[in-house]
Amino acid sequence: MKELIVEVQKQVEGYEHYYKLRTRARRAVDQATFERILEAIICDLCVCVLQPEFDAIHLPLSNKVLRKQSRYKGVALGKTLPDTLHILTAEETLFVGLKTGTSKFKISDEMMNVAFAGGVQTTVWAEHKLLSRIERFGISYEDIKQDLGEEAIILREPKERPDQRAKAQEYKDTPDTLALRGQLTDINTWLGEADLHCDLPEVNTQDRYLRRIFNNSDFAQGGRLYGGFWQRMSTQDRQEHIMIDGECVVELDYGQMSLSILYGLAGTKPPEGDLYDLSADGISTDYRKGIKIVAQAVINSSKVPTRMPKGVRKHLPARYSIRDILAAIKRKHPTIYPQMTSGIGMQLFRKESDILVDVLETLRSEGIVALPVHDAVFVRDNNSDKAKAVMKKVFEDHTSITPDVTLG
């Protein structure tokens, strides 16, 4: 990969010299920025070539974006990006194809003021000269690594609409955010060096970078781990196609995690057995999946639901109303029901994610690679007993509750 980048860089600098685009050499800091921008563009385009479903990259080229300071900006999104792209797309070089984006505006009030109304970002793709070099140098996923300097602690604003992705929010670092980032840097470095393999050719096993996403402008809410190629795979595909250190993997799953945490917060032990078993109210255990969906909907709603959650009727017969299920849950869990209906869901996500991060850190200290998926981890089969013991110990340390950890 380095040889490819150096070759492209020489041609770009040769173009600058031939057309006298620079009157003097770049300062050392500017040269480093130029090289990082070039490296980022080439690496991203190589990924597009290797993953045909991503045939191009999309870049904002407005000064408003490129000149704005943001912890979330990629390394390529600097004010000199347009100049670099201009050379890469020049007829003499033509490493890259480019379609300029468009912006739309609308009149926003009776004073004829104009407001931005959306648009399409600039699209960039690999052209023949870059494609031929990718083939000649035999570039593969293993040649492309994630930039560990990318922001991994992400804070999002409240959603404007339920179906909309929340915007990223800028924040000032505190001792807490620095500690969160330090934990994740250690985990990402460990995963980056791990011996991971997947025999599905379309899977990029170098995509290992984890981020924690916090919600509603509040670091006390959310914080779940996102990223990593394994999170986009089904449980079956993970177990059948992923190998760690050349060995098959198994899933270890925290059972009934949300309810167990609530009991821990209440300082009370949960009842014995399945926490979703409402058979005492005459509701068959055959409907456990539907009961769980309702319980999670209650926990994650800002107010008590008055309708069945979407899709739950596949798992609960029509003779049971939302009131019936909620009443049965209340009788099953009278101690924690007030908290279940308090809109505590995002705070529980924070506690869940803190537990998972501590599990990853503890396993890392014992030399065990673990791939997290929300309330579960995937580890080597022969590490399952150790990992299970760690998961139980960490959960007990956080909640004083002994959890149910099962093989998925």
Side-chain angles (χ1 to χ4, degrees), residues 370-391:
L371 309 179
V373 184
H374 301 321
D375 59 357
V377 295
F378 286 78
V379 297
R380 251 173 43 190
D381 192 1
N382 58 1
N383 282 331
S384 61
D385 288 341
K386 285 184 181 179
K388 187 174 183 179
V390 165
M391 291 175 73

mmCIF file of all heavy atoms in Angstrom, residues 370-391:
data_model
loop_
_atom_site.group_PDB
_atom_site.id
_atom_site.type_symbol
_atom_site.label_atom_id
_atom_site.label_comp_id
_atom_site.label_asym_id
_atom_site.label_seq_id
_atom_site.Cartn_x
_atom_site.Cartn_y
_atom_site.Cartn_z
ATOM 1 N N ALA A 370 -11.941 -10.653 22.342
ATOM 2 C CA ALA A 370 -13.403 -10.758 22.373
ATOM 3 C C ALA A 370 -14.003 -9.727 21.432
ATOM 4 O O ALA A 370 -13.557 -8.576 21.382
ATOM 5 C CB ALA A 370 -13.927 -10.536 23.792
ATOM 6 N N LEU A 371 -15.009 -10.145 20.685
ATOM 7 C CA LEU A 371 -15.701 -9.272 19.733
ATOM 8 C C LEU A 371 -17.078 -8.950 20.307
ATOM 9 O O LEU A 371 -17.917 -9.839 20.447
ATOM 10 C CB LEU A 371 -15.830 -9.965 18.377
ATOM 11 C CG LEU A 371 -14.540 -10.545 17.792
ATOM 12 C CD1 LEU A 371 -14.831 -11.225 16.452
ATOM 13 C CD2 LEU A 371 -13.470 -9.481 17.640
ATOM 14 N N PRO A 372 -17.340 -7.678 20.658
ATOM 15 C CA PRO A 372 -18.595 -7.335 21.328
ATOM 16 C C PRO A 372 -19.752 -7.088 20.363
ATOM 17 O O PRO A 372 -19.562 -6.534 19.279
ATOM 18 C CB PRO A 372 -18.241 -6.040 22.060
ATOM 19 C CG PRO A 372 -17.237 -5.387 21.151
ATOM 20 C CD PRO A 372 -16.435 -6.523 20.545
ATOM 21 N N VAL A 373 -20.940 -7.514 20.775
ATOM 22 C CA VAL A 373 -22.182 -7.200 20.055
ATOM 23 C C VAL A 373 -23.223 -6.865 21.120
ATOM 24 O O VAL A 373 -23.951 -7.739 21.609
ATOM 25 C CB VAL A 373 -22.673 -8.368 19.175
ATOM 26 C CG1 VAL A 373 -23.909 -7.948 18.387
ATOM 27 C CG2 VAL A 373 -21.580 -8.838 18.229
ATOM 28 N N HIS A 374 -23.250 -5.597 21.529
ATOM 29 C CA HIS A 374 -24.197 -5.062 22.513
ATOM 30 C C HIS A 374 -24.118 -5.791 23.854
ATOM 31 O O HIS A 374 -23.298 -5.432 24.681
ATOM 32 C CB HIS A 374 -25.607 -5.045 21.936
ATOM 33 C CG HIS A 374 -25.716 -4.230 20.691
ATOM 34 N ND1 HIS A 374 -25.053 -3.027 20.517
ATOM 35 C CD2 HIS A 374 -26.387 -4.425 19.528
ATOM 36 C CE1 HIS A 374 -25.308 -2.524 19.323
ATOM 37 N NE2 HIS A 374 -26.114 -3.351 18.700
ATOM 38 N N ASP A 375 -24.937 -6.828 24.098
ATOM 39 C CA ASP A 375 -24.903 -7.500 25.404
ATOM 40 C C ASP A 375 -24.277 -8.894 25.310
ATOM 41 O O ASP A 375 -24.550 -9.762 26.137
ATOM 42 C CB ASP A 375 -26.304 -7.587 26.013
ATOM 43 C CG ASP A 375 -27.283 -8.344 25.133
ATOM 44 O OD1 ASP A 375 -26.901 -8.756 24.013
ATOM 45 O OD2 ASP A 375 -28.435 -8.539 25.560
ATOM 46 N N ALA A 376 -23.433 -9.082 24.305
ATOM 47 C CA ALA A 376 -22.792 -10.392 24.110
ATOM 48 C C ALA A 376 -21.365 -10.187 23.621
ATOM 49 O O ALA A 376 -20.995 -9.095 23.167
ATOM 50 C CB ALA A 376 -23.577 -11.222 23.098
ATOM 51 N N VAL A 377 -20.555 -11.251 23.737
ATOM 52 C CA VAL A 377 -19.210 -11.242 23.156
ATOM 53 C C VAL A 377 -18.983 -12.567 22.442
ATOM 54 O O VAL A 377 -19.560 -13.596 22.809
ATOM 55 C CB VAL A 377 -18.099 -11.025 24.212
ATOM 56 C CG1 VAL A 377 -18.201 -9.658 24.850
ATOM 57 C CG2 VAL A 377 -18.113 -12.128 25.268
ATOM 58 N N PHE A 378 -18.136 -12.515 21.419
ATOM 59 C CA PHE A 378 -17.701 -13.717 20.710
ATOM 60 C C PHE A 378 -16.227 -13.937 21.033
ATOM 61 O O PHE A 378 -15.407 -13.020 20.884
ATOM 62 C CB PHE A 378 -17.907 -13.566 19.201
ATOM 63 C CG PHE A 378 -19.344 -13.676 18.784
ATOM 64 C CD1 PHE A 378 -20.211 -12.605 18.960
ATOM 65 C CD2 PHE A 378 -19.846 -14.853 18.246
ATOM 66 C CE1 PHE A 378 -21.548 -12.706 18.593
ATOM 67 C CE2 PHE A 378 -21.173 -14.962 17.881
ATOM 68 C CZ PHE A 378 -22.027 -13.895 18.057
ATOM 69 N N VAL A 379 -15.923 -15.143 21.503
ATOM 70 C CA VAL A 379 -14.557 -15.492 21.877
ATOM 71 C C VAL A 379 -14.201 -16.841 21.267
ATOM 72 O O VAL A 379 -15.074 -17.571 20.796
ATOM 73 C CB VAL A 379 -14.385 -15.553 23.409
ATOM 74 C CG1 VAL A 379 -14.627 -14.203 24.042
ATOM 75 C CG2 VAL A 379 -15.289 -16.631 24.019
ATOM 76 N N ARG A 380 -12.924 -17.175 21.303
ATOM 77 C CA ARG A 380 -12.493 -18.509 20.894
ATOM 78 C C ARG A 380 -13.180 -19.558 21.741
ATOM 79 O O ARG A 380 -13.366 -19.387 22.951
ATOM 80 C CB ARG A 380 -10.982 -18.630 21.071
ATOM 81 C CG ARG A 380 -10.203 -18.669 19.785
ATOM 82 C CD ARG A 380 -8.722 -18.628 20.023
ATOM 83 N NE ARG A 380 -8.261 -19.475 21.114
ATOM 84 C CZ ARG A 380 -7.033 -19.425 21.598
ATOM 85 N NH1 ARG A 380 -6.164 -18.577 21.100
ATOM 86 N NH2 ARG A 380 -6.667 -20.217 22.589
ATOM 87 N N ASP A 381 -13.535 -20.660 21.109
ATOM 88 C CA ASP A 381 -14.251 -21.727 21.805
ATOM 89 C C ASP A 381 -13.525 -22.155 23.082
ATOM 90 O O ASP A 381 -14.142 -22.327 24.141
ATOM 91 C CB ASP A 381 -14.421 -22.920 20.850
ATOM 92 C CG ASP A 381 -15.389 -23.965 21.376
ATOM 93 O OD1 ASP A 381 -15.935 -23.761 22.473
ATOM 94 O OD2 ASP A 381 -15.589 -24.984 20.704
ATOM 95 N N ASN A 382 -12.201 -22.302 22.995
ATOM 96 C CA ASN A 382 -11.471 -22.797 24.167
ATOM 97 C C ASN A 382 -11.232 -21.725 25.227
ATOM 98 O O ASN A 382 -10.610 -21.992 26.262
ATOM 99 C CB ASN A 382 -10.141 -23.457 23.763
ATOM 100 C CG ASN A 382 -9.234 -22.519 23.005
ATOM 101 O OD1 ASN A 382 -9.574 -21.362 22.780
ATOM 102 N ND2 ASN A 382 -8.080 -23.012 22.590
ATOM 103 N N ASN A 383 -11.720 -20.506 24.979
ATOM 104 C CA ASN A 383 -11.662 -19.443 25.990
ATOM 105 C C ASN A 383 -13.024 -19.193 26.628
ATOM 106 O O ASN A 383 -13.166 -18.258 27.427
ATOM 107 C CB ASN A 383 -11.162 -18.131 25.370
ATOM 108 C CG ASN A 383 -9.652 -18.118 25.173
ATOM 109 O OD1 ASN A 383 -8.919 -18.768 25.918
ATOM 110 N ND2 ASN A 383 -9.197 -17.394 24.170
ATOM 111 N N SER A 384 -14.027 -19.978 26.261
ATOM 112 C CA SER A 384 -15.396 -19.665 26.689
ATOM 113 C C SER A 384 -15.578 -19.735 28.206
ATOM 114 O O SER A 384 -16.269 -18.908 28.792
ATOM 115 C CB SER A 384 -16.394 -20.593 25.988
ATOM 116 O OG SER A 384 -16.160 -21.944 26.308
ATOM 117 N N ASP A 385 -14.949 -20.698 28.860
ATOM 118 C CA ASP A 385 -15.120 -20.831 30.312
ATOM 119 C C ASP A 385 -14.506 -19.632 31.045
ATOM 120 O O ASP A 385 -15.123 -19.070 31.961
ATOM 121 C CB ASP A 385 -14.482 -22.132 30.811
ATOM 122 C CG ASP A 385 -15.269 -23.369 30.390
ATOM 123 O OD1 ASP A 385 -16.471 -23.213 30.047
ATOM 124 O OD2 ASP A 385 -14.700 -24.470 30.391
ATOM 125 N N LYS A 386 -13.310 -19.242 30.638
ATOM 126 C CA LYS A 386 -12.673 -18.070 31.257
ATOM 127 C C LYS A 386 -13.491 -16.814 31.004
ATOM 128 O O LYS A 386 -13.705 -15.994 31.912
ATOM 129 C CB LYS A 386 -11.255 -17.874 30.699
ATOM 130 C CG LYS A 386 -10.218 -18.854 31.213
ATOM 131 C CD LYS A 386 -8.838 -18.487 30.663
ATOM 132 C CE LYS A 386 -7.772 -19.464 31.134
ATOM 133 N NZ LYS A 386 -6.444 -19.114 30.565
ATOM 134 N N ALA A 387 -13.937 -16.649 29.764
ATOM 135 C CA ALA A 387 -14.700 -15.457 29.410
ATOM 136 C C ALA A 387 -16.016 -15.406 30.182
ATOM 137 O O ALA A 387 -16.447 -14.337 30.637
ATOM 138 C CB ALA A 387 -14.960 -15.425 27.906
ATOM 139 N N LYS A 388 -16.654 -16.541 30.328
ATOM 140 C CA LYS A 388 -17.919 -16.601 31.068
ATOM 141 C C LYS A 388 -17.710 -16.184 32.524
ATOM 142 O O LYS A 388 -18.506 -15.425 33.093
ATOM 143 C CB LYS A 388 -18.493 -18.018 30.995
ATOM 144 C CG LYS A 388 -19.879 -18.164 31.586
ATOM 145 C CD LYS A 388 -20.412 -19.574 31.326
ATOM 146 C CE LYS A 388 -21.829 -19.739 31.849
ATOM 147 N NZ LYS A 388 -22.367 -21.099 31.571
ATOM 148 N N ALA A 389 -16.631 -16.648 33.125
ATOM 149 C CA ALA A 389 -16.332 -16.277 34.511
ATOM 150 C C ALA A 389 -16.076 -14.774 34.634
ATOM 151 O O ALA A 389 -16.531 -14.122 35.590
ATOM 152 C CB ALA A 389 -15.124 -17.072 35.010
ATOM 153 N N VAL A 390 -15.361 -14.211 33.650
ATOM 154 C CA VAL A 390 -15.094 -12.766 33.655
ATOM 155 C C VAL A 390 -16.402 -11.994 33.528
ATOM 156 O O VAL A 390 -16.632 -11.010 34.252
ATOM 157 C CB VAL A 390 -14.124 -12.391 32.512
ATOM 158 C CG1 VAL A 390 -14.120 -10.877 32.273
ATOM 159 C CG2 VAL A 390 -12.730 -12.884 32.826
ATOM 160 N N MET A 391 -17.271 -12.398 32.618
ATOM 161 C CA MET A 391 -18.548 -11.701 32.418
ATOM 162 C C MET A 391 -19.377 -11.697 33.704
ATOM 163 O O MET A 391 -19.975 -10.685 34.070
ATOM 164 C CB MET A 391 -19.319 -12.347 31.265
ATOM 165 C CG MET A 391 -18.692 -12.117 29.900
ATOM 166 S SD MET A 391 -19.539 -13.010 28.556
ATOM 167 C CE MET A 391 -21.042 -12.025 28.404
#
